Tab-separated table of all heavy atoms in Angstrom:
chain	number	residue	atom	x	y	z
T	59	ASN	N	-34.320	27.622	-5.391
T	59	ASN	CA	-34.501	29.018	-5.839
T	59	ASN	C	-34.342	29.218	-7.342
T	59	ASN	O	-33.835	30.243	-7.796
T	59	ASN	CB	-33.543	29.944	-5.082
T	59	ASN	CG	-33.821	29.932	-3.596
T	59	ASN	OD1	-34.908	29.545	-3.170
T	59	ASN	ND2	-32.867	30.362	-2.806
T	60	GLU	N	-34.761	28.186	-8.097
T	60	GLU	CA	-34.787	28.365	-9.555
T	60	GLU	C	-36.029	29.162	-9.922
T	60	GLU	O	-36.943	29.342	-9.106
T	60	GLU	CB	-34.827	26.981	-10.233
T	60	GLU	CG	-33.513	26.220	-10.103
T	60	GLU	CD	-33.714	24.739	-9.842
T	60	GLU	OE1	-34.732	24.370	-9.208
T	60	GLU	OE2	-32.841	23.942	-10.240
T	61	ASN	N	-36.060	29.613	-11.164
T	61	ASN	CA	-37.182	30.401	-11.659
T	61	ASN	C	-38.183	29.451	-12.321
T	61	ASN	O	-37.775	28.596	-13.115
T	61	ASN	CB	-36.639	31.411	-12.676
T	61	ASN	CG	-37.626	32.477	-13.049
T	61	ASN	OD1	-38.781	32.190	-13.359
T	61	ASN	ND2	-37.188	33.712	-13.049
T	62	PRO	N	-39.463	29.546	-12.002
T	62	PRO	CA	-40.420	28.589	-12.582
T	62	PRO	C	-40.790	28.899	-14.033
T	62	PRO	O	-41.439	28.077	-14.691
T	62	PRO	CB	-41.654	28.745	-11.688
T	62	PRO	CG	-41.593	30.159	-11.213
T	62	PRO	CD	-40.134	30.497	-11.081
T	180	PRO	N	-29.906	40.874	-1.136
T	180	PRO	CA	-30.489	40.262	0.052
T	180	PRO	C	-29.699	39.039	0.501
T	180	PRO	O	-29.086	38.352	-0.313
T	180	PRO	CB	-31.886	39.863	-0.398
T	180	PRO	CG	-32.186	40.718	-1.589
T	180	PRO	CD	-30.880	40.974	-2.244
T	210	ALA	N	-27.205	37.767	-5.715
T	210	ALA	CA	-27.888	36.700	-6.464
T	210	ALA	C	-29.404	36.951	-6.553
T	210	ALA	O	-30.041	36.603	-7.539
T	210	ALA	CB	-27.609	35.347	-5.804
T	211	TYR	N	-29.976	37.573	-5.505
T	211	TYR	CA	-31.445	37.713	-5.447
T	211	TYR	C	-31.929	39.143	-5.581
T	211	TYR	O	-33.101	39.434	-5.358
T	211	TYR	CB	-31.942	37.112	-4.115
T	211	TYR	CG	-31.580	35.658	-3.999
T	211	TYR	CD1	-30.515	35.245	-3.210
T	211	TYR	CD2	-32.271	34.702	-4.740
T	211	TYR	CE1	-30.156	33.902	-3.145
T	211	TYR	CE2	-31.915	33.366	-4.679
T	211	TYR	CZ	-30.863	32.972	-3.883
T	211	TYR	OH	-30.513	31.647	-3.832
T	212	VAL	N	-31.038	40.064	-5.925
T	212	VAL	CA	-31.363	41.488	-5.833
T	212	VAL	C	-32.555	41.900	-6.703
T	212	VAL	O	-33.300	42.810	-6.348
T	212	VAL	CB	-30.111	42.340	-6.165
T	212	VAL	CG1	-29.820	42.349	-7.658
T	212	VAL	CG2	-30.223	43.732	-5.594
T	213	ASP	N	-32.751	41.218	-7.829
T	213	ASP	CA	-33.794	41.648	-8.768
T	213	ASP	C	-35.213	41.459	-8.232
T	213	ASP	O	-36.165	41.984	-8.794
T	213	ASP	CB	-33.657	40.893	-10.099
T	213	ASP	CG	-32.351	41.238	-10.808
T	213	ASP	OD1	-31.909	42.400	-10.690
T	213	ASP	OD2	-31.777	40.355	-11.463
T	214	PHE	N	-35.346	40.706	-7.153
T	214	PHE	CA	-36.690	40.449	-6.614
T	214	PHE	C	-37.093	41.438	-5.513
T	214	PHE	O	-38.038	41.181	-4.769
T	214	PHE	CB	-36.772	39.013	-6.076
T	214	PHE	CG	-36.493	37.972	-7.124
T	214	PHE	CD1	-35.260	37.336	-7.175
T	214	PHE	CD2	-37.450	37.645	-8.073
T	214	PHE	CE1	-34.991	36.387	-8.145
T	214	PHE	CE2	-37.192	36.700	-9.052
T	214	PHE	CZ	-35.959	36.063	-9.088
T	215	GLY	N	-36.381	42.547	-5.413
T	215	GLY	CA	-36.804	43.549	-4.427
T	215	GLY	C	-35.681	44.183	-3.633
T	215	GLY	O	-35.922	45.017	-2.768
T	216	GLY	N	-34.446	43.811	-3.914
T	216	GLY	CA	-33.314	44.404	-3.192
T	216	GLY	C	-32.859	45.702	-3.844
T	216	GLY	O	-33.368	46.103	-4.889
T	236	SER	N	-28.996	32.754	-12.881
T	236	SER	CA	-29.680	31.543	-12.418
T	236	SER	C	-31.072	31.782	-11.856
T	236	SER	O	-31.891	30.879	-11.843
T	236	SER	CB	-28.850	30.851	-11.336
T	236	SER	OG	-27.607	30.473	-11.830
T	237	LYS	N	-31.322	32.977	-11.334
T	237	LYS	CA	-32.587	33.225	-10.628
T	237	LYS	C	-33.519	34.083	-11.480
T	237	LYS	O	-34.456	33.578	-12.071
T	237	LYS	CB	-32.319	33.906	-9.283
T	237	LYS	CG	-31.099	33.402	-8.536
T	237	LYS	CD	-31.266	31.982	-8.031
T	237	LYS	CE	-29.992	31.520	-7.322
T	237	LYS	NZ	-30.050	30.149	-6.892
T	238	SER	N	-33.234	35.383	-11.571
T	238	SER	CA	-34.165	36.285	-12.253
T	238	SER	C	-34.170	36.098	-13.772
T	238	SER	O	-35.052	36.613	-14.443
T	238	SER	CB	-33.829	37.736	-11.902
T	238	SER	OG	-32.471	37.999	-12.166
T	239	ARG	N	-33.194	35.384	-14.329
T	239	ARG	CA	-33.185	35.180	-15.790
T	239	ARG	C	-33.404	33.721	-16.190
T	239	ARG	O	-33.142	33.328	-17.343
T	239	ARG	CB	-31.910	35.748	-16.404
T	239	ARG	CG	-31.875	37.258	-16.251
T	239	ARG	CD	-30.724	37.936	-16.919
T	239	ARG	NE	-30.602	39.278	-16.366
T	239	ARG	CZ	-31.261	40.336	-16.820
T	239	ARG	NH1	-32.041	40.224	-17.869
T	239	ARG	NH2	-31.128	41.507	-16.235
T	240	SER	N	-33.851	32.922	-15.249
T	240	SER	CA	-34.302	31.544	-15.547
T	240	SER	C	-33.248	30.675	-16.226
T	240	SER	O	-33.585	29.837	-17.066
T	240	SER	CB	-35.544	31.575	-16.465
T	240	SER	OG	-36.531	32.422	-15.965
T	289	PHE	N	-37.770	39.948	-18.756
T	289	PHE	CA	-37.147	39.897	-17.423
T	289	PHE	C	-38.065	40.568	-16.403
T	289	PHE	O	-38.383	40.008	-15.352
T	289	PHE	CB	-35.783	40.610	-17.522
T	289	PHE	CG	-35.188	41.068	-16.229
T	289	PHE	CD1	-34.574	40.170	-15.372
T	289	PHE	CD2	-35.221	42.415	-15.868
T	289	PHE	CE1	-34.000	40.603	-14.172
T	289	PHE	CE2	-34.658	42.850	-14.680
T	289	PHE	CZ	-34.057	41.941	-13.831
T	292	THR	N	-41.426	38.520	-15.778
T	292	THR	CA	-41.342	37.309	-14.936
T	292	THR	C	-40.996	37.668	-13.490
T	292	THR	O	-41.545	37.080	-12.556
T	292	THR	CB	-40.320	36.293	-15.505
T	292	THR	OG1	-39.129	36.990	-15.846
T	292	THR	CG2	-40.851	35.577	-16.697
T	293	VAL	N	-40.112	38.649	-13.325
T	293	VAL	CA	-39.771	39.060	-11.947
T	293	VAL	C	-41.033	39.592	-11.250
T	293	VAL	O	-41.312	39.236	-10.098
T	293	VAL	CB	-38.627	40.108	-11.953
T	293	VAL	CG1	-38.537	40.824	-10.609
T	293	VAL	CG2	-37.294	39.450	-12.285
T	294	ASN	N	-41.807	40.418	-11.963
T	294	ASN	CA	-43.025	40.966	-11.358
T	294	ASN	C	-44.014	39.858	-10.988
T	294	ASN	O	-44.686	39.919	-9.955
T	294	ASN	CB	-43.715	41.962	-12.301
T	294	ASN	CG	-42.920	43.251	-12.392
T	294	ASN	OD1	-42.065	43.526	-11.535
T	294	ASN	ND2	-43.169	44.040	-13.424
T	296	ILE	N	-43.294	36.770	-10.169
T	296	ILE	CA	-42.779	36.052	-8.984
T	296	ILE	C	-42.998	36.883	-7.716
T	296	ILE	O	-43.412	36.355	-6.677
T	296	ILE	CB	-41.287	35.674	-9.191
T	296	ILE	CG1	-41.191	34.585	-10.262
T	296	ILE	CG2	-40.641	35.199	-7.884
T	296	ILE	CD1	-39.814	34.339	-10.810
T	297	VAL	N	-42.764	38.182	-7.818
T	297	VAL	CA	-42.954	39.050	-6.648
T	297	VAL	C	-44.435	39.058	-6.231
T	297	VAL	O	-44.756	38.969	-5.041
T	297	VAL	CB	-42.435	40.480	-6.934
T	297	VAL	CG1	-42.857	41.453	-5.846
T	297	VAL	CG2	-40.910	40.470	-7.069
T	300	ARG	N	-45.195	35.834	-4.548
T	300	ARG	CA	-44.560	35.825	-3.212
T	300	ARG	C	-45.425	36.584	-2.198
T	300	ARG	O	-45.657	36.102	-1.085
T	300	ARG	CB	-43.170	36.482	-3.302
T	300	ARG	CG	-42.469	36.597	-1.948
T	300	ARG	CD	-41.201	37.422	-2.059
T	300	ARG	NE	-41.474	38.834	-2.194
T	300	ARG	CZ	-40.644	39.728	-2.737
T	300	ARG	NH1	-39.473	39.355	-3.206
T	300	ARG	NH2	-40.977	41.009	-2.818
T	301	GLU	N	-45.902	37.748	-2.596
T	301	GLU	CA	-46.683	38.564	-1.663
T	301	GLU	C	-47.980	37.844	-1.269
T	301	GLU	O	-48.412	37.888	-0.128
T	301	GLU	CB	-46.965	39.945	-2.258
T	301	GLU	CG	-45.694	40.787	-2.443
T	301	GLU	CD	-44.844	40.896	-1.166
T	301	GLU	OE1	-45.383	41.286	-0.120
T	301	GLU	OE2	-43.634	40.572	-1.216
T	317	SER	N	-39.481	38.958	3.000
T	317	SER	CA	-38.618	38.520	1.903
T	317	SER	C	-38.470	39.550	0.799
T	317	SER	O	-39.444	40.111	0.310
T	317	SER	CB	-39.175	37.232	1.296
T	317	SER	OG	-38.477	36.932	0.104
T	318	LYS	N	-37.220	39.772	0.381
T	318	LYS	CA	-36.921	40.591	-0.806
T	318	LYS	C	-36.344	39.705	-1.907
T	318	LYS	O	-35.592	40.178	-2.779
T	318	LYS	CB	-35.896	41.673	-0.447
T	318	LYS	CG	-36.351	42.624	0.630
T	318	LYS	CD	-37.403	43.576	0.100
T	318	LYS	CE	-37.824	44.550	1.179
T	318	LYS	NZ	-39.152	45.112	0.916
T	319	THR	N	-36.647	38.413	-1.838
T	319	THR	CA	-36.035	37.443	-2.759
T	319	THR	C	-37.123	36.583	-3.429
T	319	THR	O	-38.311	36.848	-3.259
T	319	THR	CB	-35.106	36.500	-1.962
T	319	THR	OG1	-35.911	35.791	-1.001
T	319	THR	CG2	-34.024	37.267	-1.224
T	320	ASN	N	-36.694	35.552	-4.144
T	320	ASN	CA	-37.675	34.633	-4.734
T	320	ASN	C	-37.886	33.406	-3.836
T	320	ASN	O	-38.171	32.318	-4.326
T	320	ASN	CB	-37.269	34.215	-6.152
T	320	ASN	CG	-36.017	33.347	-6.167
T	320	ASN	OD1	-35.204	33.403	-5.242
T	320	ASN	ND2	-35.845	32.549	-7.210
T	321	PHE	N	-37.698	33.597	-2.529
T	321	PHE	CA	-37.995	32.520	-1.581
T	321	PHE	C	-38.450	33.127	-0.262
T	321	PHE	O	-38.256	34.334	-0.010
T	321	PHE	CB	-36.770	31.618	-1.375
T	321	PHE	CG	-35.551	32.339	-0.870
T	321	PHE	CD1	-35.336	32.540	0.488
T	321	PHE	CD2	-34.606	32.839	-1.761
T	321	PHE	CE1	-34.213	33.208	0.958
T	321	PHE	CE2	-33.471	33.510	-1.294
T	321	PHE	CZ	-33.281	33.703	0.072
Side-chain angles (χ1 to χ4, degrees):
N59 298 340
E60 289 140 330
N61 192 312
Y211 300 102
V212 75
D213 295 326
F214 300 102
S236 299
K237 321 292 178 184
S238 53
R239 294 185 197 273
S240 309
F289 161 77
T292 46
V293 164
N294 288 342
I296 290 166
V297 169
R300 176 188 74 203
E301 294 308 307
S317 170
K318 300 287 182 203
T319 62
N320 68 336
F321 58 87

